[in-house]
Amino acid sequence: MRRRHQRLAHQHVWGAALETDFTPLQSLFGGAMIGLSAVLLMLTLGRIMGATGIFAGVFAPTSRRDWLWRTAVVLGMMTGPWVVWTLTGALPVVHSDISPLALTLGGLIVGVGVTLGGGCTSGHGVCGLARSSPRSGIAVVVFMATAVATVFVIRHVIGA
Amino acid sequence: MRLFYSYLIGVLFGTGIAVSGMANPAKVLNFFDLAGSWDPSLAFVMGGALLVTFVGYRLVIPRGAPLFDGSFHLPKAKRIDPKLVVGAAIFGLGWGISGFCPGGALPALGVFHGEVWLFVAAMSAGMALTRWISGAKG
């Protein structure tokens, strides 16, 4: 009984595994749109479509002109779910039952990591790999492996 | 015109994230859960994005300059240093805890769930803190 209480407490903090459907075509199509946006940003402004770099620059712009395009991209990103809503009548699912404590902790850690590592999934994972950058290759292998290990520990070691 | 294109490109990225499932932490965490409720969808997101970007960059970059700027702003860092590896490992830890990466969370802000705003606020604090500390050191 005591052990069961402990398990519930863990699940409350880290969240339980929620079922999701395998969506290969939808994900491939969404991925292609992400890729197209990266190509278009390079064509127009000559910039890497990295969420970390673009967002960080909103708070530390080098000029007003620099701040404006970054803010426009971020506002555009936030409009994305509403495009889906317009086309399908439903907002995309954003679902987790992770506690506010774990989300705050996770957010802080992500912020530190992407700043030190110089990029995230879009910057290193899409743009960097597309440029065949060895730095990005290393970063992607390391963050993917660490994320898999983290989820394994949370779900199958702590939560087991 | 430059800002209008920037906004539209952001919309395209955000729509792609929303359609693909990257804005949904449940789906992202299941991608990492190889030993449990594994959902391989995100491999298709990466595959689609990489394929288009790989081909597109090879068409665009040889042009020599973008349409609205004098030159391309490509990352100059080449060295694989401890900062890169440690940073990537820290990012992976936070991603595995929360299910959000920056590119997934920013479009998800548009849905106006409190939890996404909380995550992005904490992430911004982590970014500012890291920059402040590394700025103070160097």
Side-chain angles (χ1 to χ4, degrees), chain B residues 53-65:
Chain B
T53 312
F54 188 87
V55 174
Y57 272 9
R58 270 149 193 80
L59 297 174
V60 166
I61 294 176
R63 293 170 50 96

Side-chain angles (χ1 to χ4, degrees), chain B residues 49-91:
Chain B
L50 249 177
L51 193 73
V52 172
T53 312
F54 188 87
V55 174
Y57 272 9
R58 270 149 193 80
L59 297 174
V60 166
I61 294 176
R63 293 170 50 96
L67 298 175
F68 301 110
D69 206 339
S71 59
F72 291 113
H73 302 265
L74 299 174
K76 288 175 193 73
K78 291 267 185 296
R79 262 187 61 218
I80 294 165
D81 48 12
K83 208 173 122 183
L84 174 81
V85 177
V86 172
I90 294 174
F91 166 43

Side-chain angles (χ1 to χ4, degrees), chain B:
Chain B
M1 227 32 213
R2 202 177 65 103
L3 286 183
F4 179 65
Y5 283 124
S6 303
Y7 177 76
L8 283 188
I9 289 167
V11 172
L12 186 62
F13 180 90
T15 308
I17 290 285
V19 168
S20 68
M22 286 293 292
N24 185 6
K27 212 165 166 62
V28 174
L29 291 178
N30 280 346
F31 176 65
F32 296 136
D33 193 4
L34 303 176
S37 48
W38 191 47
D39 175 354
S41 304
L42 295 199
F44 289 76
V45 185
M46 285 295 287
L50 249 177
L51 193 73
V52 172
T53 312
F54 188 87
V55 174
Y57 272 9
R58 270 149 193 80
L59 297 174
V60 166
I61 294 176
R63 293 170 50 96
L67 298 175
F68 301 110
D69 206 339
S71 59
F72 291 113
H73 302 265
L74 299 174
K76 288 175 193 73
K78 291 267 185 296
R79 262 187 61 218
I80 294 165
D81 48 12
K83 208 173 122 183
L84 174 81
V85 177
V86 172
I90 294 174
F91 166 43
L93 173 68
W95 198 13
I97 290 174
S98 62
F100 282 119
C101 59
L106 292 177
L109 282 176
V111 178
F112 294 102
H113 273 288
E115 60 180 25
V116 189
W117 286 80
L118 178 67
F119 173 86
V120 172
M123 179 180 89
S124 310
M127 290 169 122
L129 186 74
T130 312
R131 242 200 324 228
W132 181 66
I133 291 174
S134 50
K137 262 197 308 194

